[in-house]
Structure formats: C-alpha cells, structure tokens
Amino acid sequence: MASVSPGHIAPVDEFPLFLCRVSAGFPSPAEEYREGSLNLNRYVIRHPAATFFVRAAGDSMLGAGIHPEDLLVVDRSLEPADGRVVVAAVNGELTVKRLSLQRGKAFLLPENKTYPPLEISSALELQIWGVVTFVLHAL
Amino acid sequence: MFALVDCNNFFVSCERVFNPGLEGKPVIVLSNNDGCVISRSNEAKQMGIPMGSPFFKIRALVKQNRVAVFSANFNLYGDMSWRVMEALRQFDVSVEVYSIDEAFLDASSIRPDTLAPYGEALQRKIKRWTGIPVSVGIAKTKTLAKVANEIAKKSQKSQGVLNLASPQYHAFALSKLPVAEVWGVGYRISKSLENSNIQTALQLRDAPDHWILKRYSITLLRTVQELRGIPCFPLTLHTAPRQSISCSRSFGTLVETLPDLKEAVATYVARAAEKLRQDRLLAKQLTVYIRTSHFRQEPQYANAVTMALPVATDCSHELIQVAARGLEQIYQQGYRYYKARVTLTELSPTTQSQQNLFDTVDRAKTQRLMKTLDQLNNQWGNGTLKYAAEGLKPQWLMKREHRSPAYTTHWTELPLVKT
C-alpha cells in the first residue's frame, strides 16, 4: 500500500535579475523591476539556423584574440565584408583568416607575423563559409 | 499557389558542408548498418550506382573510383534539416515540413510575375545560411509543384528553379514525366495505369473522372484534379498528436542469447523513453518485437508481445524491466535474431497523469532521476549515462564504420578549422 506523499516543491534553476527577501505583509519595492534572466545564447546567436560552432586548430590568428582550441561562433547569414574574420574553404579545407577586399584585390590575412598573407586569385579554390562573430576562450 | 523546396541529394549535401573538398566528387551515404545506398552525389549517380544498392555489391566500383563513403549520420542530418526549415520560415510564409528534406510553402501572397525570382531567393538564402543546395518548383497545386520541382532538379537550363504557374507549359511538362513519378502514384498503380496505356502524367491528367473513380480511388482522382490545376490538398500545418513512439534497429552481428537480446532491447527502450520524455508524454503500453533475418537461408522466427503498465510512465528503468519480462516470454533458443523493435503506445501528456492508489513506485523521486539523466546526457553527449542493462561493449551495435562526426550536436565533435 503506497503512502501519500506531500507536494514536491521544484528547485529554482534560472537566476532572476533581482533576488529579494519578502517579509510577510510588505511587498518589495524592487518586485516591479524584475526583468528576467540573462540568456547568453540569445546574446551570442543572432541567427540560430545559420550559426555554427567550430574549434580553432592553430595560432595564425593570435592577433585577433583566437588561440588554439578556442570556440568560434560562425554566422553564415552575414555578409563577408572587408575586415571581417571569416571561415573560408581553401582548396577544400576550412580555415580562419581576416578578409581583405581592397582596390579590387582580395586577400586572406593571418594575424601572426610568422604566417604569410594569401592572395585570392581565380587559381585558388575559395569559398567563404561564414563570418566569425565571437570567440570563446577558456582562461 | 505552392512552392515545393527540396534539398538536392540531402545526406550527401550535409556531409559536403563540412567537407568542402568533396564538391564535384562521387560521394555516397549508407543506411544504418552500412547496408545500402541511401544518398548519392550527381557524380556517383553518373557512375551508375543505383539508389538502394546493397553496399557489398558496389564495393569494387567504389574502391576503383575512389568514391567517398559515409555511414548515415542522422544526428547531423536531423539538425541540418531543422536549419533548412528555419531558414525557410524567415520568408514569413506558412511552411509545411513534408519530410526531412522537403517543404511546401504558401506562395499565394507573392506577385505572379515575381514567382521565379522568389524561388531563386529561396534557393540563395538556403545555400547561404546552411550550405545546402535546393531545387524549387512553383505551381497552383502541390502535385504540380512537385512536377515543377522534378523538372527543375534535372534541367540544366532552369538552374534548379521552375515556375509552372502558367498553364501554357503544362502540357509539355506533363508529357515528359512518366506516370510513375507523379506524387501519389505508387508502383502498383503506375503498373496498372501503364497496362491501360497511360504512360505519362499528361495522359493521366486527361483520363476521364468516372474511369479513375471506378478503377482506382478518390485519392487518385484528387491527384488527377491537381494535375489539372485544381487544388485539392491544402497545406497541413498542425501535426496530429503522436500515437506511438518506436525504436527499431537491425543488429550489427546476429544475436543468439537471451542476455544479449535483453541488452539490445534495453538500449532501444532507453532511447524510446528519451523521446517520450522529450515530447512530455507517458506510455501505458509497451510492445517488443524480435525477428530473424529473412535474407538468410535459416530457420525463421518472429514474435511480439505487448505488456501493459499499471500506471502511465516515462521512467526508463521501469520500462526496461517490463520489456525484459516480455522478452522472456517470446524468446526462443536456437535462432539467430536480426532485428528488434520496441514500441510505446497508449500515450498521454504528462499534465494528465493519474495516480494509482496501489502504485508502488515513488513517482516524484523517479521524475528527478529521469530529469538528471536527461540533463547529463544532453550536456556530455548521448550515452554518457546508461543503464547497466544496456551492456558495456555490445557486439550487436550497428556497424557504422564510416560515420562522420556529429558536427552540430556534440561539443566533442565540432569541426576543426585550421587557424
């Protein structure tokens, strides 16, 4: 024969912007200002269907703040404009570089003096895969 | 007005997004257990590899021509499919997801003279956002939109987009399409039609109504009406509530003993229970089905058992225990089992759960356990936490020798980008 158990109170797992103590009978003046939780996903991912995560393997972009094994947020919906850090498919391989479109010439630039810039010519098989919007670096 | 958007060689295209070097090369994707071909790139098609061909039959051809082979990666394909459909929804029209790689869009708000450019815009956005190439067919009915899509896919001139809204091109288009390729005409119906001298979609369109109704069904008549430009199938946006949840796989190696079979079934139950919890449902009935392989010349056996649960539940270990008891009832020694299926039925939403006075299970504790299990598996990857009943190094696991990483669904399998 089963026993009757009391109602179960679920733990709170989202953190509201404001946490305040409520004393019986007196409503908190801060209650009206509660706005909701901070959602990192929504901050970082503007276009979920077009956003991919990739992992950096290498150090040619240290100057841009990208270290080996960092997580990169790549948004395929954004326009690959001059100056943006992009993921590009070069000869079938995915790589990260800064895009330079100046005076009719296109380059893929590293941000590390030990690496050479890559000129984009018709001979080079190039396709822009997406624009890097954020890098997540674990300290 | 309908637009049918259909991904080209979808599974292969998914693999190509993360392996751009495979563009222009022959690529194939194999079914679960690396059994047969379920997707081919255009280059593989040209090589003569048929759809559905068992892998062993084309091994030599594949090796000779350096065809890239992938085991089905449904984690990836499911996620990419979601992305394609979300990208379509950006166009602010109703989208009916028809299959993993096809969707019907309501194009009635688009100006008729801008239909083709609209199709091209759909194509460009999907390619840009997801990397997947698609074909677009536009017409007044779903069936004609499918015809337009078929033609768009194959014709060089159309570049993957075809607007068939105007009836003046219909006769020509339909005369070129074999009747078997009309949406809704299956193998048997097509053979029967061909016997009555109806070989093309055009001939089907022009067949008399009463003849179709007498020889076939009202559904085929609706298809014929649609071929004539009369819409009979509207966009269906609300999916009916689920009636059952299944998990079924064939085994990598044939299974003979009851303990091994219990392990396999436990895994399938756990997977089905995960889906149950994801959909916020409870099940009151469980069916286990096992069978030998009818491809082999050996003694055949197949059986199923349905077990009722005293209280509707979504708890994995309860379901595993019940499935094990059921298996004991139908297992027969001396057979080599090839496949098992677990089906959960009598589904009800968790919000409607009813208590049973004689229930011996601590439901609240079980709920917390299930929630923790799901959270950990979501965070660290499937299979991080498993029931011991599922086995540690099972031999019967699916063969997936050529599977690519789950690039978009597992933190540990993200694409590595040369930096």
Side-chain angles (χ1 to χ4, degrees):
Chain A
M1 176 79 157
S3 55
V4 177
S5 47
H8 181 71
I9 300 164
V12 173
D13 42 41
E14 262 204 348
F15 295 95
L17 208 49
F18 258 71
L19 269 176
C20 48
R21 260 182 286 218
V22 181
S23 35
F26 184 70
S28 160
E31 216 19 74
E32 294 178 20
Y33 297 92
R34 261 192 61 175
E35 281 181 13
S37 324
L38 290 177
N39 187 321
L40 187 64
N41 259 359
R42 270 191 234 131
Y43 183 83
V44 164
I45 303 172
R46 299 294 158 88
H47 309 103
T51 303
F52 294 82
F53 295 123
V54 304
R55 216 163 267 293
D59 58 0
S60 73
M61 295 296 285
L62 281 175
I66 298 174
H67 311 77
E69 305 206 8
D70 280 357
L71 186 74
L72 305 178
V73 182
V74 186
D75 190 332
R76 287 184 64 111
S77 73
L78 300 180
E79 188 66 40
D82 175 50
R84 302 216 69 153
V85 176
V86 298
V87 172
V90 177
N91 293 334
E93 208 180 26
L94 292 180
T95 179
V96 189
K97 293 287 176 286
R98 197 177 288 279
L99 185 64
S100 166
L101 304 168
Q102 301 273 346
R103 290 184 290 254
K105 284 190 175 207
F107 284 89
L108 286 177
L109 305 174
E111 295 240 353
N112 181 329
K113 287 199 257 298
T114 63
Y115 290 83
L118 198 59
E119 176 162 10
I120 304 167
S121 59
S122 53
L124 198 76
E125 255 187 58
L126 169 83
Q127 230 186 58
I128 300 296
W129 200 88
V131 174
V132 182
T133 49
F134 289 91
V135 51
L136 192 67
H137 174 73
L139 295 171
Chain B
M1 192 66 69
F2 295 93
L4 173 66
V5 178
D6 173 299
C7 303
N8 302 343
N9 310 327
F10 184 56
F11 300 154
V12 164
S13 295
C14 287
E15 302 288 352
R16 277 180 167 167
V17 173
F18 301 93
N19 276 290
L22 293 174
E23 289 290 334
K25 303 242 168 62
V27 186
I28 59 173
V29 174
L30 303 175
S31 60
N32 278 333
N33 255 323
D34 293 349
C36 27
V37 177
I38 54 174
S39 186
R40 309 156 294 163
S41 71
N42 290 341
E43 299 75 14
K45 287 179 190 173
Q46 273 154 28
M47 218 171 258
I49 298 178
M51 180 58 109
S53 161
F55 185 44
F56 70 83
K57 279 198 176 157
I58 52 163
R59 243 189 233 279
L61 184 65
V62 159
K63 194 160 170 191
Q64 209 169 37
N65 291 283
R66 320 247 234 125
V67 178
V69 180
F70 289 92
S71 307
N73 185 348
F74 288 109
N75 277 340
L76 181 64
Y77 310 152
D79 183 72
M80 294 299 278
S81 172
W82 173 81
R83 290 168 183 275
V84 169
M85 303 309 168
E86 264 313 294
L88 285 174
R89 290 191 187 103
Q90 303 296 309
F91 285 84
D92 240 353
V93 288
S94 300
V95 175
E96 175 192 331
V97 176
Y98 181 66
S99 72
I100 197 173
D101 68 348
E102 286 167 284
F104 285 104
L105 271 69
D106 177 4
S108 50
S109 58
I110 312 296
R111 258 187 32 212
D113 58 334
T114 61
L115 281 171
Y118 178 70
E120 285 156 23
L122 287 170
Q123 213 185 26
R124 268 196 310 269
K125 188 159 205 119
I126 305 295
K127 189 70 166 68
R128 166 71 153 259
W129 277 42
T130 67
I132 304 286
V134 305
S135 304
V136 184
I138 301 168
K140 288 211 176 81
T141 69
K142 280 185 170 181
T143 309
L144 283 173
K146 272 238 167 192
V147 170
N149 190 294
E150 281 290 317
I151 300 171
K153 218 181 263 292
K154 295 189 180 125
S155 137
Q156 277 276 51
K157 201 172 92 165
S158 62
Q159 302 266 42
V161 180
L162 184 64
N163 174 13
L164 258 193
S166 174
Q168 61 186 126
Y169 302 114
H170 285 189
F172 180 68
L174 294 175
S175 68
K176 294 276 179 247
L177 193 72
V179 75
E181 286 181 34
V182 172
W183 186 45
V185 176
Y187 180 74
R188 273 180 36 225
I189 295 183
S190 69
K191 284 283 165 263
S192 162
L193 287 169
E194 279 159 26
N195 279 337
S196 308
N197 229 354
I198 297 187
Q199 327 272 7
T200 67
L202 183 65
Q203 289 168 323
L204 178 62
R205 183 196 75 170
D206 297 338
D209 284 15
H210 62 267
W211 185 81
I212 296 279
L213 208 52
K214 188 164 152 212
R215 299 278 298 276
Y216 301 96
S217 67
I218 183 96
T219 316
L220 189 64
L221 181 61
R222 290 204 180 109
T223 297
V224 171
Q225 303 250 357
E226 287 234 323
L227 286 174
R228 294 179 192 154
I230 305 163
C232 299
F233 303 123
L235 218 61
T236 40
L237 294 174
H238 302 287
T239 41
R242 286 194 83 121
Q243 307 272 43
S244 72
I245 290 180
S246 290
C247 182
S248 165
R249 304 277 162 80
S250 48
F251 303 131
T253 52
L254 298 177
V255 174
E256 285 187 71
T257 68
L258 181 57
D260 280 348
L261 206 51
K262 276 189 178 177
E263 260 184 21
V265 168
T267 313
Y268 301 170
V269 172
R271 180 71 193 112
E274 259 174 34
K275 291 197 237 180
L276 194 62
R277 291 193 294 273
Q278 212 166 40
D279 284 358
R280 300 210 199 291
L281 294 166
L282 303 167
K284 214 158 181 280
Q285 206 175 59
L286 177 148
T287 304
V288 181
Y289 166 73
I290 52 175
R291 75 163 161 86
T292 52
S293 164
H294 44 232
F295 295 119
R296 292 174 182 258
Q297 305 283 28
E298 19 180 276
Q300 297 290 312
Y301 176 69
N303 207 346
V305 65
T306 300
M307 316 285 287
L309 290 135
V311 178
T313 181
D314 62 359
C315 163
S316 295
H317 57 257
E318 209 184 327
L319 292 164
I320 288 175
Q321 278 169 0
V322 167
R325 286 207 303 274
L327 204 49
E328 280 160 17
Q329 290 178 23
I330 53 173
Y331 171 77
Q332 294 270 2
Q333 208 177 42
Y335 293 98
R336 303 204 299 167
Y337 296 94
Y338 167 70
K339 189 173 180 157
R341 176 166 60 237
V342 164
T343 309
L344 301 172
T345 44
E346 284 198 31
L347 306 181
S348 56
T350 48
T351 46
Q352 282 176 23
S353 68
Q354 296 199 318
Q355 307 297 348
N356 182 323
L357 255 187
F358 302 98
D359 194 1
T360 51
V361 176
D362 181 344
R363 298 280 150 196
K365 183 171 167 191
T366 314
Q367 287 304 323
R368 290 200 299 280
L369 177 64
M370 289 298 105
K371 186 168 175 195
T372 308
L373 178 69
D374 289 336
Q375 270 174 357
L376 287 170
N377 275 333
N378 273 332
Q379 198 176 346
W380 299 100
N382 268 336
T384 297
L385 267 189
K386 297 199 299 196
Y387 283 87
E390 298 181 50
L392 286 174
K393 274 203 168 62
Q395 287 284 50
W396 45 261
L397 267 187
M398 272 198 301
K399 270 205 303 269
R400 283 150 110 200
E401 288 167 27
H402 315 271
R403 198 175 64 86
S404 54
Y407 294 115
T408 60
T409 52
H410 281 51
W411 288 112
T412 50
E413 299 186 30
L414 298 183
L416 280 176
V417 177
K418 215 174 79 164
T419 312

